[in-house]
Amino acid sequence: MALSGVEIFKHLPKTNCKKCGHPTCLAFAMKLAAKQASLDACPDASEDAKKVLGEAAAPPIRGITIGAGDKAVKTGDEICLFRHEKKFFNPTVFAVAIKDTEAGEAAARKIEAVKTSEIDRVGQKLRVDAIAVIDESGDAAKFASVVKQVVDGAPGVAIILASKNPAVIEAGIALCADKKPLIYAATAENAEAMAKIAKEKKASLALSADGLDALTALSEKVKGLGVDDLVLDPGARKAKDMVEQYTIIRRAAIKKNFKPLGYPVIAFPGRGDSVSEAMAASIGVMKYASIIVLNTIEKWKMLALLSLRQNIYTDPQVPMQVAQNIYKVGDAKENSPLMITTNFSLSYFIVRGEVENSKVPSWLAVMDNEGLSVLTAWAAGKFTASRIAQFIAESGVEKSINHKELIIPGYVAILSGTLEEKLPGWKITVGPREANGLPSFLKARA
């Protein structure tokens, strides 16, 4: 039975040290009771408290790790229904399906696509996370040969073994048990055999059932067989069913603390064409699918899905930021122009991209404004002449350039006069209002 906030508070240090990010131990206890915080946030919690509060502090959706090493991916461990309540923690895992009938060149192309899928977007590395080997032939030897091709061709990439035949799973997992794969899937018919494999190999196990009632019964059964790391598939394939069933699962786990459904969800949004598949997958990203298995991973599709995932799993209460610094763009020299912007990630990468497009090597001063855009930071009093002058003076940029000219964004042209007063000897130049005006502006000065 869940503990109340007051009951949890009795086991906390009661020092009100704020190390957990909350003003008092009581406030932290209330968050624990509401499943909106983890006991790990309290560094001073005693071992006895951890034992007593273990279940109360555990996230309502169990965390599952697939794979091993630096490319292992974690899913689950979520504590809220809506991201603005706290945030979503572990981004949706994208996997590409390779059927065992695609052995050889077709499989090799998909493996290569996974290895080259990484993109850099606003400073984060995004990529396809896993490969799902799908049993289509029913031949254990053929399935195992594709698993071996994946293990050899994409070392470190997380693996999902997809078959409802225990003999096929045994043949595949024999080649990758050390990589902690996800087994898909246990059903009402094969639950005992699949649970036995999962326990022996210490692997996670996905459950597949037709509807939520059947899935609940199967979850309770497999949990009783001693398997703790579970993933759920209620059988939803249509977009309407995905939204409905995934939402019910999430709500039951978060709001009702319903343990049989307190696990990550796996989705198979495969469609006959890539556009439809991308649209269905996007619904999964937005509506609680923890793992999404795709038929294909074209560059355009993954750019869209990875960007969407990044947005959904960004903390809405904390703007994305880059570190305050003076950055070189291209082969900047002593006489290269010096520009300034804020440390809001989107502002930085847009400005940097346009400067790179100009082919004019430059210096870009990025000032810490708590991740706010230029106009927002100026309106909030965090991008003022005094602050800019202090940053430039303390940055040491004068050691890298042989001029004293600073180009400021056109939107804050009003600061130019005061800045020249705050930075004696400096010339303040007003740049374009929009970043897309930078290439022509810089080329005209070159």
Side-chain angles (χ1 to χ4, degrees), residues 120-384:
D120 187 329
R121 186 170 185 268
V122 292
Q124 294 184 3
K125 303 294 185 183
L126 312 174
R127 63 173 180 264
V128 176
D129 309 285
I131 295 174
V133 182
I134 310 294
D135 171 26
E136 190 174 72
S137 68
D139 186 328
K142 185 174 289 188
F143 182 82
S145 71
V146 176
V147 172
K148 186 177 189 307
Q149 187 177 357
V150 169
V151 170
D152 293 343
V157 175
I159 297 175
I160 300 171
L161 303 176
S163 175
K164 294 178 181 177
N165 184 336
V168 172
I169 292 295
E170 284 186 325
I173 203 168
L175 300 169
C176 62
D178 60 324
K179 298 184 180 300
K180 305 298 181 186
L182 169 66
I183 298 171
Y184 178 91
T187 64
E189 292 74 25
N190 68 15
E192 289 83 359
M194 288 295 196
K196 182 174 182 291
I197 296 171
K199 284 181 65 177
E200 289 178 351
K201 301 299 184 180
K202 296 181 173 60
S204 304
L205 178 61
L207 313 180
S208 176
D210 187 10
L212 297 180
D213 290 341
L215 186 63
T216 297
L218 182 59
S219 173
E220 292 175 324
K221 178 179 180 178
V222 174
K223 175 72 173 175
L225 292 170
V227 181
D228 295 319
D229 292 339
L230 304 178
V231 174
L232 308 178
D233 175 15
R237 297 296 182 265
K238 294 181 179 179
K240 176 183 76 69
D241 296 335
M242 290 169 64
V243 171
E244 179 182 340
Q245 295 185 19
Y246 298 171
T247 301
I248 291 173
I249 290 173
R250 184 67 160 244
R251 184 176 292 276
I254 300 292
K255 297 297 184 182
K256 302 296 184 181
N257 198 29
F258 187 59
K259 296 298 185 183
L261 296 182
Y263 300 99
V265 169
I266 186 170
F268 293 85
R271 298 290 189 273
D273 69 277
S274 284
V275 173
S276 297
E277 181 174 83
M279 293 173 67
S282 68
I283 290 172
V285 173
M286 293 184 286
K287 283 299 177 184
Y288 312 129
S290 296
I291 304 167
I292 295 178
V293 180
L294 301 164
N295 289 337
T296 59
I297 50 170
E298 298 95 322
K299 291 286 188 181
W300 65 264
K301 180 195 292 183
M302 295 319 302
L303 177 60
L305 290 175
L306 289 169
S307 298
L308 173 63
R309 182 185 75 176
Q310 184 185 40
N311 289 337
I312 295 295
Y313 283 85
T314 296
D315 188 344
Q317 301 176 53
V318 180
M320 296 180 66
Q321 307 175 38
V322 295
Q324 175 172 288
N325 207 345
I326 306 294
Y327 292 89
K328 289 180 68 171
V329 184
D331 187 23
K333 305 290 187 183
E334 291 181 343
N335 60 343
S336 298
L338 170 67
M339 289 162 281
I340 189 167
T341 189
T342 66
N343 71 327
F344 176 44
S345 288
L346 193 57
S347 294
Y348 167 74
F349 283 102
I350 289 175
V351 170
R352 185 183 181 108
E354 294 296 347
V355 174
E356 289 173 344
N357 290 340
S358 75
K359 308 298 183 186
V360 177
S362 305
W363 299 94
L364 183 56
V366 176
M367 180 176 161
D368 184 358
N369 309 98
E370 300 177 17
L372 301 177
S373 64
V374 170
L375 273 180
T376 305
W378 172 74
K382 299 180 186 298
F383 196 59
T384 62

